[in-house]
Amino acid sequence: MNKTKNRNYAFYLLSLLGHDVFYFAFTLYLIKFITGPLFDGPDPDFNRIMVGVISSIIVGVRVGELVLDPFLGALIDNTKTRFGSFKPWILTGGIVCAISFVALFTTLGNTNINNPTLYVILFTILFLIMDGSYSLYDIALWSMIPAISTTYEERNKVGTVARLGAGIGQLLLTIFVMPSVILGEGLFGSEQAGWLFFSGIVLVFTWFSAACACFGVTEIVPAEQKVTPRTKFKEVFSTIVKNDQLAWLAVSNWCYYFSLALVSTLMTYYFQYIYGDAASYSAIFGPATLAVVISVLFYPWLTRRFSRKQVLFVALLVMLASLAVLFVAQSNTVMVVIASVLFLAPQPIIFTSFLLELTDTIDYGEWKMGRRNVSLTLSVRPLLDKFAGALSNGAVGLISILCGMTGAATLSSITSHDSLVFRLIMCGLPMLAILVSIVVYNKKFILTTDFHDKIVKELAERNAPSKPGEES
């Protein structure tokens, strides 16, 4: 059993490495490609219009697909194959989302300029395919946590291993994004080609991730999960709403996701138009990303000495401090480095805490409603992430237009007013959202470790086979 667990830890780490390479490439750099080299023609009005249209489509599609994710979670829960419920969707979702991702980093046959209407149609279709297939891949991959761990301690270990792999993936992406774009540009002669080269590297990482999960991880399924009845699609949303701890956690989690997505997406703009050196993004943010890998290693130690709520509260406060430093840093290298480290260090702790709290609501939902919904419950996380990412991507498109950061804009073309407005939005809005997250989590989420342990014990007694002579 120990050999199986160690193998699971190793391959699950590798599967999350490639997953987060894709996630951050999709979340942070697709919009950068769209607002940059995709529309950099001689007509600035046309460029701004197209950036606005595509940004609106991204928001519209991602918001529209919010209702789809819970159904995808129910679909995964209802999938019964000899390979399990999760692996078929990890493999197919990973393959499809990576291919469509690469296609989005092309001009689609130069239709972006020659036939913008056709480009908008094709972009919308491809984005729908990518977003939907990524949701299947993402939900199924994270749903493996309760399938390969059963106790509180094991879930902390798996959560830490998963977040370590994700942190390494984020670190690798941050390090290779700009060098790969520059290399591709040198090899193929244009910045557009450079971004396409970058997307091809992301595809390789994504397929590697899916293969590791499907062929390297062995599920250890608790008995109670095997007898869970199928979830009817008409019961999907009522199942989520009736789980009050899941609902309140979702509100708090979304505020955090929005803050993270907005700041992370705008960070390349900050380096290019505020700090004044786009190439320094990888040079500064890359090494700073080591803080992600280091901090996640301390998570099990922290949760043994402090409650999960205490750990999460402090991590969110550190994130707040990082945004305050970033607001005043501007071109000060030392302050930018400090802000980058403070911003990145708490992320794996916040993410892992929210993820494990979300996983615990699976047991709470079964205890309260008599139904165990693994993927349906965990589909709430990508739903929130997608909603936050949609609003942040839409905001980025509008902010780039508002602050003159589109097309051929340079540092010298950005006024002091533009800089102030940009920093107020980039830092001020996320700070407000994080404060809301803290208040909601501390006031409304009552699923403590002791309460969860009591629930798990009661579920074990409830699901235990009846002894001879007892009523079944």
Side-chain angles (χ1 to χ4, degrees):
M1 180 62 72
N2 287 335
K3 185 177 180 180
T4 299
K5 288 182 179 179
N6 290 335
R7 175 186 171 89
N8 278 347
Y9 292 156
F11 277 95
Y12 200 53
L13 182 150
L14 292 174
S15 69
L16 266 298
L17 185 153
H19 167 276
D20 266 46
V21 167
F22 179 88
Y23 169 76
F24 283 101
F26 163 37
T27 304
L28 304 184
Y29 301 115
L30 178 59
I31 191 66
K32 176 65 176 173
F33 170 72
I34 291 168
T35 60
L38 184 62
F39 297 109
D40 62 353
D43 185 349
D45 290 334
F46 173 80
N47 296 336
R48 284 192 291 268
I49 291 172
M50 289 302 295
V51 167
V53 169
I54 296 301
S55 299
S56 299
I57 289 172
I58 291 174
V59 174
V61 169
R62 301 205 83 191
V63 171
E65 284 198 358
L66 291 176
V67 298
L68 180 63
D69 280 352
F71 291 98
L72 295 180
L75 174 64
I76 295 170
D77 277 334
N78 292 339
T79 298
K80 309 298 178 185
T81 74
R82 66 189 183 94
F83 304 106
S85 300
F86 312 125
K87 292 181 179 180
W89 299 112
I90 292 172
L91 188 62
T92 56
I95 291 173
V96 173
C97 73
I99 293 174
S100 50
F101 176 76
V102 172
L104 290 172
F105 277 86
T106 70
T107 62
L108 300 179
N110 293 323
T111 56
N112 62 318
I113 302 298
N114 299 330
N115 193 338
T117 301
L118 179 59
Y119 177 83
V120 168
I121 294 172
L122 294 175
F123 179 91
T124 304
I125 294 172
L126 282 170
F127 193 85
L128 278 166
I129 293 172
M130 185 196 70
D131 209 32
S133 57
Y134 169 71
S135 291
L136 284 168
Y137 163 56
D138 180 58
I139 294 168
L141 185 59
W142 285 109
S143 294
M144 296 189 83
I145 288 182
I148 60 177
S149 60
T150 55
T151 66
Y152 175 82
E153 291 75 14
E154 286 177 353
R155 283 189 182 173
N156 272 346
K157 289 180 181 178
V158 174
T160 301
V161 165
R163 199 59 193 91
L164 177 61
I168 295 172
Q170 181 183 358
L171 171 63
L172 289 175
L173 179 69
T174 306
I175 291 174
F176 78 70
V177 53
M178 295 314 298
S180 66
V181 172
I182 294 171
L183 176 61
E185 184 176 357
L187 290 174
F188 303 107
S190 71
E191 187 180 356
Q192 287 183 359
W195 282 103
L196 181 60
F197 181 73
F198 159 75
S199 70
I201 297 175
V202 173
L203 177 144
V204 173
F205 272 104
T206 307
W207 286 1
F208 172 77
S209 159
C212 285
C214 291
F215 304 111
V217 178
T218 301
E219 295 180 32
I220 306 170
V221 184
E224 62 267 21
Q225 286 184 258
K226 296 179 181 179
V227 297
T228 299
R230 293 173 64 88
T231 300
K232 298 177 181 178
F233 284 140
K234 66 181 181 180
E235 300 172 333
V236 165
F237 286 106
S238 63
T239 300
I240 294 175
V241 172
K242 289 177 182 177
N243 190 330
D244 59 290
Q245 291 302 285
L246 172 61
W248 283 117
L249 187 66
V251 175
S252 178
N253 208 342
W254 180 86
C255 291
Y256 160 70
Y257 274 130
F258 175 73
S259 302
L260 177 62
L262 184 62
V263 176
S264 299
T265 309
L266 288 174
M267 194 64 76
T268 54
Y269 293 81
Y270 188 96
F271 273 87
Q272 183 171 354
Y273 300 112
I274 306 300
Y275 180 72
D277 185 2
S280 293
Y281 175 78
S282 293
I284 293 178
F285 226 61
T289 310
L290 283 171
V292 172
V293 179
I294 294 171
S295 65
V296 73
L297 295 175
F298 285 94
Y299 186 77
W301 180 85
L302 290 170
T303 53
R304 285 195 299 268
R305 286 158 178 80
F306 307 98
S307 71
R308 197 180 284 164
K309 178 170 285 192
Q310 291 172 324
V311 171
L312 180 57
F313 179 74
V314 173
L316 288 169
L317 288 180
V318 173
M319 187 175 173
L320 277 175
S322 73
L323 295 174
V325 175
L326 190 65
F327 177 80
V328 299
Q330 299 190 72
S331 59
N332 186 308
T333 302
V334 174
M335 294 186 71
V336 169
V337 170
I338 292 173
S340 299
V341 172
L342 289 177
F343 178 74
L344 290 171
Q347 300 310 327
I349 294 174
I350 299 170
F351 179 90
T352 306
S353 296
F354 273 132
L355 176 65
L356 295 179
E357 301 281 33
L358 189 64
T359 304
D360 287 348
T361 66
I362 297 171
D363 302 312
Y364 176 82
E366 182 184 9
W367 174 77
K368 181 178 181 181
M369 297 178 289
R371 179 188 295 276
R372 186 176 184 84
N373 299 103
V374 178
S375 291
L376 173 56
T377 300
L378 293 178
S379 72
V380 172
R381 187 201 58 78
L383 183 154
L384 300 171
D385 191 14
K386 185 177 292 185
F387 187 29
L391 292 184
S392 67
N393 281 338
V396 167
L398 295 175
I399 292 166
S400 64
I401 294 172
L402 177 65
C403 298
M405 298 177 179
T406 60
T410 63
L411 176 65
S412 60
S413 68
I414 304 302
T415 67
S416 58
H417 177 266
D418 292 335
S419 173
L420 177 61
V421 171
F422 179 84
R423 287 181 290 122
L424 281 172
I425 297 173
M426 178 180 179
C427 301
L429 188 57
M431 291 177 76
L432 178 61
I434 292 170
L435 288 172
V436 174
S437 177
I438 291 173
V439 171
V440 171
Y441 178 74
N442 279 279
K443 295 292 185 181
K444 295 296 184 179
F445 191 74
I446 61 172
L447 189 55
T448 62
T449 301
D450 290 340
F451 188 13
H452 178 258
D453 288 343
K454 177 184 176 182
I455 287 172
V456 171
K457 182 178 179 181
E458 290 187 16
L459 287 176
E461 295 173 353
R462 184 191 303 176
N463 294 319
S466 299
K467 295 179 181 179
E470 294 180 346
E471 292 185 4
S472 58

